[in-house]
Amino acid sequence: DVNESKLDLDIDWPGVFKHAQAVSKTNPFWNELSGSNPFVHDIAASNRNENNKCLSILNEKPYLFSKLSSNRDSLDSSGDELDIDCLLRKSSTRRSARSKSVSDFLDIVDNRRFNFHKTAPQKTTASDMTWLQNDREAYKMAWLSHRQLTRSCLDLEAMSHSPGWAQTQATDIHVVCKLNHEGGSVQLPDSDINIHVPVGHVLPGEFQEVGLKAILNPPLSCNNELSSTVSPLIEITLSNLNTSKAIFLEVKAAAKVKNDPLSQVMSDIVCFFSLNKEGPFKKVENCYIYQDTIQVKLTDLSHVMYAVIAIQASKIQPPATNVWDYVHRTVSVGIYGPKYIHPSFTAVFTVFGHNYIPGKLTICDIKKGGKSMPPVVFQLWGKHTFLLEKPQDLNISLMSCDPDFEVKMEDQSKNIKKEELKTGEMVHQQFLFSMLGCKEMHFFVFLVQIKILKSSQVTQFHVTTPDPAPKLSGIINRPKRLQNRKEIKSAPWLLMPTIKYPKFQDKTLSVNSYGVALKTVLRQNKIDYLLEYFKGDTIALLGEDKVKAIGQTKMKEWYVGVLRKKIGLVHCKNIKVISKEQAMNTADSELTTRNLVEQIALPFKKLTYIYSVVLSTVSESVYDWRALAEVLGYSHMSLDDFNEAHADKESERVAHVVKRMKQDCHANKKKRLFLYELIVALLKIDCQGLVARLTQDTIILTLAVKLGKSWRELAEKLARLTKQQIEAYEVPHQGKNGAVALEMMWKPAYDFLYTWAAHYGDGYRDVLQDLQSALDKMKNPVTKQWRELTGALILVNCMEVLRASAFFKMEEEE
């Protein structure tokens, strides 16, 4: 529909500029704002020159900016290199396209999901196009006017070269929680700062909203020779003062009083309290201290309160020189940087006077090219904590461990004075990294070294940078002539070394141990993936690892075994394990590698998957499209079968093969199942790591769907999630009635399971086993009917025997 794709063009453009002029005369910050914003600067200048041509052009042709054709080739000369049509076209999100922010744009880039719909060509002349492309100033004005001055504009030219600089949204570290008569606890995310509200704090039927906020720089009045803060300044807000019981603040301090008698007598961990941010602060008497944790009873309640934990000394007695001498004091450092790395970027080394290190940090004094930047939000890249016995001068140095990157010479080493540490404030130093040469960007590791001057003590740790910014191809349209010129001048791409996948061999499995059945087990109710056997049967055991899973009634330990061409679990107590040499008759327990692959992949016939995720994961991980095509039955395919779009990258060719197989399976749904055939093929080219990843992803997704609202019980068992934490997972998916619809309950379940599994790193076997154990212990175990997780455990336990039997070893091949 053409009308739907049109922009809202009914903007009073001349009125916009009149508004801008009026604002500039009344806004005391206008000059400072325009100093760092080239677009606003243009309007500021126009006030001094009423005959400015930029304004007159737009008054003559007010709708020209909106009439740009959606298929233009280039906006390169405009200075922002962005396809503005992409931003202004009808948004796929709930927010209207006209109000898109820079952070929205970065989300578009990050997801790389572009679905350009062709709109009806609008009437515009070639000369109009040329005029707007070549007149940079007019383009700036059009952009600014379309935004109607509703948001602060950025230097888009700087942004196009370094998207990380565009993240200027402010970050506050705070949390708000609503509690009823039953009370509860509120924790500041990623911290050891908690508020405990007892039962009966408010009357039945009433509520208390508790807010917690960490202010990184503590009050200066609490840092002196006799006192030193060891926590951030904590802002506590309460909505309801009609209370009957006090609340408790619990904080883990960044210090512990030394055990010697003098320190124990002379110093203590205390809490300073005030109703004002600036103070004055008074010492709270009702405190309970255990090692480095303090619990404070707050009775003098107000809507807004401030508290800070400190080490206080009654007096300084030689040989002590200040309060630090009485405690073991830890110093926390954080390394911050942009969300993505670029050919040139700044890393920020930050020292905190407490052990709270936020995940994001706003830095206001960044300079780029000698020019002050707007406040920039940096992400936490790495952190470290070390013991500092007294305030001392520190020397900080950052060294790249990758020859492709270096730290700017004058930034390689910087000092932090002991006087700065004494104040307890956050102190930071900036280090500028740059890339050497014109190689392809990649993440790298650098070393952070902290030396204590006048001492031999050195602390060091490594930090891994994030990935480079996603490629902007697809929304940046450069002229073809520039692309061609770049291709001619640049060195040819280094081809990825060809990975030769091993040849799958269909032969009898090589088994090292067997089990003799000590009793007969025949089940009236057949259970998938559990073997049945007669007393005296010889069962081939595929590995020595045991699987924990529920049987008919209780949890047991099982071996993975083979009997009469079937793979399944056999209860460890029902067999006697014997060696290969002791086995008498093994004919019933023989199996070929082809049968093994086809059986262990069976769970994938019933698992739920997201096709786009499977496609991208496989295309990124398989390096030879021919090898995959051959095992999928497309050995007849050649390069001629690929169109121009798939001819360049190996990943595109792999994706093309997978898509072809998906289409064929879809056309023959009754006989062919896409995911099952894909897993069998990947096992046949020995892509076991990829199979493990797909197994974990599909199990988590399927389980989330199976569990529904029962995910709450699983979350309690797996991670001891509280009611509030469970609600936090569900809030983003709540409907208009404030509850999560049953058919949407899989979303918070998936969010939780994905986050929980991420803590295991590469330990996919432990993820699957711990899931199985937790599910089996539920009141109504999902695993009684849904046995695919058991099948997945059999799969991962058979990978070693498959690799040993089905593929030549490298030395044999030579």
Side-chain angles (χ1 to χ4, degrees):
D1 189 345
V2 175
N3 290 328
E4 277 191 18
S5 63
K6 280 186 179 179
L7 299 166
D8 181 5
L9 303 181
D10 299 324
I11 301 169
D12 180 11
W13 296 82
V16 169
F17 290 110
K18 285 176 187 173
H19 171 70
Q21 291 171 6
V23 169
S24 67
K25 288 172 185 172
T26 58
N27 187 344
F29 302 105
W30 187 261
N31 292 330
E32 288 79 357
L33 182 65
S34 66
S36 64
N37 192 324
F39 295 164
V40 181
H41 178 72
D42 296 338
I43 293 183
S46 73
N47 286 331
R48 296 186 288 275
N49 180 8
E50 295 297 329
N51 297 321
N52 189 288
K53 289 183 180 178
C54 293
L55 296 183
S56 64
I57 289 168
L58 277 168
N59 284 328
E60 287 169 24
K61 302 182 180 182
Y63 299 122
L64 184 61
F65 174 65
S66 302
K67 288 179 182 175
L68 288 178
S69 168
S70 63
N71 61 354
R72 66 173 176 265
D73 287 332
S74 170
L75 277 176
D76 197 52
S77 59
S78 69
D80 68 348
E81 298 187 352
L82 308 177
D83 183 348
I84 300 302
D85 287 347
C86 173
L87 289 176
L88 301 183
R89 202 172 285 120
K90 185 155 183 156
S91 173
S92 60
T93 60
R94 291 179 187 173
R95 192 181 299 179
S96 72
R98 275 175 54 202
S99 65
K100 265 195 182 300
S101 68
V102 170
S103 59
D104 290 332
F105 167 72
L106 287 173
D107 286 343
I108 295 169
V109 176
D110 201 16
N111 293 330
R112 303 184 215 178
R113 293 174 181 171
F114 306 104
N115 186 14
F116 298 135
H117 300 289
K118 291 186 178 177
T119 56
Q122 299 172 352
K123 293 177 182 177
T124 178
T125 63
S127 60
D128 287 342
M129 279 283 294
T130 309
W131 163 78
L132 190 58
Q133 286 181 352
N134 294 336
D135 193 333
R136 176 184 175 81
E137 302 306 318
Y139 178 75
K140 281 184 185 178
M141 296 303 299
W143 166 261
L144 181 65
S145 303
H146 187 81
R147 301 280 291 229
Q148 295 182 301
L149 295 172
T150 54
R151 300 183 69 111
S152 167
C153 286
L154 300 166
D155 183 341
L156 292 181
E157 185 172 30
M159 178 194 146
S160 69
H161 292 108
S162 179
W165 292 110
Q167 300 157 41
T168 59
Q169 66 274 28
T171 51
D172 264 343
I173 307 115
H174 68 278
V175 64
V176 179
C177 198
K178 191 174 182 180
L179 303 172
N180 60 14
H181 172 74
E182 294 177 3
S185 295
V186 182
Q187 182 180 30
L188 194 68
D190 303 319
S191 78
D192 295 310
I193 301 169
N194 299 273
I195 287 285
H196 301 295
V197 178
V199 176
H201 169 69
V202 290
L203 298 172
E206 290 194 11
F207 294 92
Q208 177 72 280
E209 276 193 7
V210 181
L212 262 180
K213 181 177 176 182
I215 300 166
L216 298 176
N217 285 330
L220 291 173
S221 59
C222 297
N223 282 283
N224 49 55
E225 289 301 313
L226 292 173
S227 169
S228 178
T229 54
V230 287
S231 82
L233 179 62
I234 303 161
E235 181 184 273
I236 305 160
T237 56
L238 300 176
S239 63
N240 186 356
L241 295 184
N242 183 24
T243 59
S244 57
K245 289 189 179 181
I247 62 174
F248 295 86
L249 169 68
E250 185 177 282
V251 183
K252 193 171 183 180
K256 194 163 66 172
V257 177
K258 290 179 180 177
N259 286 328
D260 62 274
L262 185 62
S263 299
Q264 290 285 326
V265 170
M266 290 293 180
S267 65
D268 208 352
I269 298 177
V270 298
C271 175
F272 290 118
F273 180 83
S274 175
L275 299 180
N276 296 305
K277 188 176 178 181
E278 292 77 23
F281 285 85
K282 291 183 180 178
K283 181 179 169 184
V284 181
E285 298 302 328
N286 299 321
C287 293
Y288 170 75
I289 300 155
Y290 177 72
Q291 293 184 346
D292 59 351
T293 301
I294 180 169
Q295 193 174 78
V296 185
K297 186 177 182 180
L298 300 177
T299 52
D300 185 14
L301 301 181
S302 175
H303 283 301
V304 184
M305 301 167 285
Y306 295 89
V308 65
I309 309 303
I311 296 290
Q312 189 181 43
S314 52
K315 67 174 184 176
I316 305 300
Q317 183 172 316
T321 55
N322 62 48
V323 68
W324 282 51
D325 292 325
Y326 293 134
V327 295
H328 292 298
R329 177 77 183 259
T330 54
V331 171
S332 297
V333 298
I335 302 293
Y336 292 85
K339 187 175 181 180
Y340 306 110
I341 60 168
H342 312 284
S344 176
F345 65 86
T346 299
V348 181
F349 176 95
T350 312
V351 180
F352 298 96
H354 43 77
N355 54 15
Y356 177 60
I357 305 177
K360 290 182 180 179
L361 190 66
T362 305
I363 304 290
C364 300
D365 59 351
I366 294 287
K367 290 188 180 293
K368 199 161 189 270
K371 179 180 170 184
S372 292
M373 298 294 294
V376 180
V377 176
F378 282 93
Q379 317 285 322
L380 180 65
W381 285 2
K383 57 185 177 180
H384 190 75
T385 302
F386 66 98
L387 198 68
L388 190 64
E389 290 295 344
K390 60 182 180 181
Q392 297 180 77
D393 294 340
L394 303 178
N395 174 260
I396 315 301
S397 57
L398 269 61
M399 291 163 279
S400 172
C401 302
D402 191 307
D404 293 346
F405 294 85
E406 69 172 5
V407 184
K408 198 175 177 182
M409 187 65 73
E410 55 267 33
D411 287 351
Q412 285 178 356
S413 178
K414 298 199 174 184
N415 292 334
I416 292 175
K417 300 286 184 187
K418 65 181 180 182
E419 286 75 19
E420 293 177 289
L421 296 177
K422 276 185 181 179
T423 64
E425 289 192 359
M426 180 185 80
V427 185
H428 66 265
Q429 293 284 3
Q430 299 170 24
F431 294 82
L432 183 65
F433 281 82
S434 57
M435 191 175 181
L436 300 171
C438 300
K439 300 174 184 176
E440 189 172 355
M441 284 288 294
H442 56 84
F443 73 89
F444 65 98
V445 177
F446 59 89
L447 176 70
V448 181
Q449 225 173 44
I450 306 165
K451 293 180 185 174
I452 297 175
L453 298 177
K454 301 176 185 176
S455 165
S456 58
Q457 187 180 343
V458 177
T459 299
Q460 63 182 35
F461 60 99
H462 289 87
V463 175
T464 303
T465 71
D467 290 322
K471 288 186 167 52
L472 300 180
S473 59
I475 61 167
I476 294 180
N477 296 316
R478 291 192 175 87
K480 287 182 180 177
R481 56 184 175 80
L482 290 181
Q483 288 180 344
N484 294 339
R485 189 189 310 160
K486 186 178 177 184
E487 285 168 16
I488 294 166
K489 284 187 174 180
S490 64
W493 284 92
L494 288 172
L495 293 172
M496 185 179 291
T498 305
I499 294 177
K500 191 174 181 182
Y501 286 103
K503 190 82 174 171
F504 180 79
Q505 300 167 82
D506 185 14
K507 62 178 190 179
T508 305
L509 279 183
S510 175
V511 179
N512 293 323
S513 57
Y514 291 84
V516 178
L518 301 176
K519 60 191 272 191
T520 298
V521 175
L522 297 172
R523 295 182 177 84
Q524 192 172 356
N525 299 321
K526 307 298 181 189
I527 301 176
D528 288 343
Y529 304 109
L530 299 190
L531 284 179
E532 293 184 319
Y533 39 89
F534 296 100
K535 185 176 180 180
D537 277 342
T538 302
I539 304 167
L541 303 182
L542 306 184
E544 296 176 7
D545 291 339
K546 296 174 183 177
V547 173
K548 287 181 184 175
I550 200 167
Q552 210 99 33
T553 54
K554 61 179 182 179
M555 290 275 287
K556 299 174 182 177
E557 287 192 329
W558 313 76
Y559 287 117
V560 178
V562 178
L563 183 64
R564 287 181 275 279
K565 310 291 183 193
K566 187 179 178 184
I567 301 172
L569 298 180
V570 54
H571 187 197
C572 294
K573 289 185 177 178
N574 288 352
I575 59 167
K576 180 186 178 184
V577 178
I578 58 174
S579 66
K580 187 178 183 178
E581 291 74 25
Q582 292 172 301
M584 301 292 289
N585 184 10
T586 60
D588 281 349
S589 55
E590 286 182 356
L591 194 74
T592 64
T593 51
R594 183 175 61 83
N595 285 338
L596 174 68
V597 167
E598 289 169 354
Q599 277 200 61
I600 60 177
L602 282 175
F604 289 91
K605 286 189 173 183
K606 297 180 182 178
L607 291 178
T608 306
Y609 63 94
I610 300 171
Y611 172 64
S612 59
V613 175
V614 172
L615 179 66
S616 61
T617 306
V618 173
S619 58
E620 287 167 10
S621 307
V622 175
Y623 301 111
D624 183 357
W625 71 269
R626 290 181 191 276
L628 183 62
E630 192 173 331
V631 290
L632 284 172
Y634 300 120
S635 52
H636 59 277
M637 283 182 71
S638 68
L639 286 172
D640 297 333
D641 294 313
F642 297 103
N643 58 31
E644 214 173 299
H646 300 129
D648 293 340
K649 283 188 178 178
E650 194 70 19
S651 60
E652 293 290 346
R653 293 172 187 164
V654 171
H656 181 73
V657 173
V658 175
K659 286 176 188 173
R660 168 80 178 272
M661 198 262 285
K662 176 78 164 94
Q663 289 168 358
D664 291 348
C665 290
H666 190 72
N668 190 4
K669 286 182 182 176
K670 289 183 180 178
K671 290 187 177 179
R672 300 187 65 182
L673 291 164
F674 164 72
L675 191 59
Y676 171 75
E677 291 196 15
L678 180 62
I679 295 296
V680 168
L682 293 173
L683 287 170
K684 284 185 177 179
I685 57 172
D686 201 29
C687 290
Q688 293 195 355
L690 176 55
V691 170
R693 182 176 164 190
L694 290 171
T695 303
Q696 181 173 311
D697 288 352
T698 49
I699 283 287
I700 284 175
L701 180 62
T702 313
L703 181 55
V705 175
K706 289 275 179 192
L707 280 171
K709 63 182 180 182
S710 301
W711 84 271
R712 298 165 185 165
E713 185 191 345
L714 181 67
E716 288 174 13
K717 289 191 182 302
L718 277 179
R720 294 182 181 174
L721 253 58
T722 62
K723 191 177 179 183
Q724 288 89 347
Q725 288 169 321
I726 289 170
E727 284 174 1
Y729 274 103
E730 293 186 356
V731 164
H733 308 290
Q734 286 175 354
K736 290 179 182 177
N737 61 352
V740 182
L742 198 58
E743 65 272 13
M744 300 296 286
M745 194 60 83
W746 70 270
K747 290 188 175 182
Y750 180 80
D751 290 346
F752 161 70
L753 286 169
Y754 188 88
T755 307
W756 168 79
H759 289 94
Y760 284 76
D762 294 330
Y764 61 91
R765 284 195 186 194
D766 293 333
V767 170
L768 299 175
Q769 181 61 79
D770 288 356
L771 265 180
Q772 176 84 55
S773 300
L775 288 169
D776 286 342
K777 289 174 185 172
M778 288 174 70
K779 289 175 186 173
N780 296 305
V782 177
T783 43
K784 276 199 171 180
Q785 292 79 32
W786 182 68
R787 286 277 172 172
E788 274 55 61
L789 179 50
T790 312
L793 278 168
I794 291 174
L795 162 66
V796 296
N797 276 280
C798 288
M799 283 184 170
E800 287 176 20
V801 71
L802 173 64
R803 178 169 278 170
S805 300
F807 303 102
F808 275 124
K809 294 184 176 66
M810 290 302 290
E811 57 268 21
E812 287 179 22
E813 204 170 338
E814 290 168 7

